[in-house]
Amino acid sequence: MLAILKKEFNGFLNTLIAYIVITVFLVAIGMFMWVFPESNVLDYGFADMQTLFNMAPWLFLFLIPAITMRTFAEEKREGTIELLLTKPISDLKLILGKYFAALLLALFALIPTLIYYYTVYELGNPQGNVDSAAVVGSYLGLVFLAGVFAAIGVFASSVSDNQIISFVIAIFLCYIIYAGFELIASIPVWGGYGYFISQLGIEYHYTAISKGLIDSRDVLYFLSVIAIMILSTKLVLSSRKW
C-alpha cells in the first residue's frame, strides 16, 4: 500500500495537477480573505478566519475531484488496471494507497494557509485576539471534509474510464453530500424530520466541528462516510470477478 501511495503521490507531483490545484486554492482563498470587499478581513474588522473556512469547502468541491479523477480512470483508459490488479496486493490496499495519496496532496494545500492564521493573529487588537479553538476545530473539519471528498473522488474514478466523466460525477456527489441534504431539509414538507435530514449532510457536522467543539458523533459521521465510499470503490473493482 505504501508503494502505491508513494507512486501515486510522485505521479501527482510529476504533473501540473498538484501545482495547479494548490496554486488555485491559495490564490482564491487569499483573494477572498484579503482583496474582495465583501469578505476581506481588513474591511470586516474582526480577527477571524471564517472567510477561509466558509470558502474552502466550495473550493475543495472542485479541486479534490480534479486530483482524484485520474486515480482509476487513467489506469482503465491505458489498460494498466488489469496489470495492477494482478500484483500481490489486495483491492482494499490498492484503493487505500491511491486514496491516501490524493488526500495527502489536498492536505498539502492547507499547510500554507497557516500563514493566514499567523497574519490574522498578529493583526488582532490586542495581538492574538483570535478564537484559536475554533480555528483548530475548523482545520480539523477541513481535514475530515477533504477525506470524504477524496473518498468520493476515488469512487467516481473507479466507475468510469473517462476522467471528465469521473470529475463530473465526483463534483455532483460531493455537492449532494455537502449541501444537498441541507437544501432538501429546508423544503417545508418534512415536519419534524427536516432536522434529521440535515444531519445526514456534511455541512451540519462541519459547522459543528468548526465551533471548536469536537464531538465524537461528528467524527464518527465523517469516518463512516469515508468507509462507505472506500467499500463502494472496492465493490466496483470486485465486480470484475462476477
Side-chain angles (χ1 to χ4, degrees):
M1 185 182 77
L2 292 178
I4 294 294
L5 190 158
K6 182 178 180 181
K7 170 183 173 294
E8 287 294 314
F9 190 73
N10 288 336
F12 287 132
L13 296 181
N14 290 331
T15 64
L16 288 176
I17 293 177
Y19 306 101
I20 291 175
V21 166
I22 293 175
T23 300
V24 169
F25 179 77
L26 293 177
V27 170
I29 290 295
M31 294 291 284
F32 279 108
M33 283 200 66
W34 307 109
V35 178
F36 294 152
E38 296 296 326
S39 58
N40 79 75
V41 174
L42 300 176
D43 289 344
Y44 187 54
F46 289 93
D48 65 30
M49 300 277 289
Q50 203 56 45
T51 298
L52 186 155
F53 299 122
N54 286 341
M55 298 308 304
W58 297 103
L59 293 172
F60 271 173
L61 192 147
F62 292 96
L63 297 181
I64 292 181
I67 294 173
T68 59
M69 66 182 184
R70 63 184 290 272
T71 49
F72 284 106
E74 186 177 49
E75 301 276 8
K76 289 183 177 182
R77 182 177 59 83
E78 295 181 353
T80 57
I81 186 67
E82 289 81 8
L83 178 63
L84 190 62
L85 292 173
T86 60
K87 297 292 184 180
I89 181 174
S90 66
D91 289 354
L92 183 59
K93 289 183 178 180
L94 171 62
I95 295 167
L96 289 176
K98 288 179 173 288
Y99 166 73
F100 283 119
L103 177 59
L104 190 60
L105 182 59
L107 297 183
F108 260 68
L110 282 177
I111 294 176
T113 63
L114 293 175
I115 297 174
Y116 299 156
Y117 170 71
Y118 175 76
T119 304
V120 171
Y121 184 92
E122 291 293 320
L123 289 174
N125 185 19
Q127 187 183 59
N129 185 27
V130 59
D131 189 351
S132 296
V135 170
V136 172
S138 296
Y139 269 112
L140 182 61
L142 282 180
V143 170
F144 282 126
L145 183 70
V148 172
F149 283 0
I152 292 174
V154 170
F155 167 75
S157 183
S158 71
V159 300
S160 174
D161 60 358
N162 187 299
Q163 294 187 38
I164 302 301
I165 293 177
S166 298
F167 177 69
V168 172
I169 293 174
I171 290 178
F172 174 76
L173 292 178
C174 288
Y175 176 79
I176 291 297
I177 198 169
Y178 178 72
F181 287 102
E182 194 74 30
L183 293 174
I184 294 172
S186 66
I187 301 174
V189 296
W190 306 110
Y193 294 101
Y195 180 70
F196 172 75
I197 294 174
S198 68
Q199 288 183 303
L200 297 176
I202 293 178
E203 190 172 10
Y204 173 89
H205 300 276
Y206 174 72
T207 302
I209 286 184
S210 296
K211 295 177 182 177
L213 302 174
I214 312 301
D215 192 316
S216 59
R217 291 171 296 183
D218 298 318
V219 175
L220 181 61
Y221 169 84
F222 283 107
L223 295 179
S224 298
V225 175
I226 291 171
I228 289 172
M229 298 313 301
I230 294 294
L231 292 176
S232 297
T233 306
K234 184 177 183 297
L235 182 63
V236 171
L237 292 184
S238 298
S239 65
R240 72 186 187 278
K241 302 175 184 178
W242 301 347

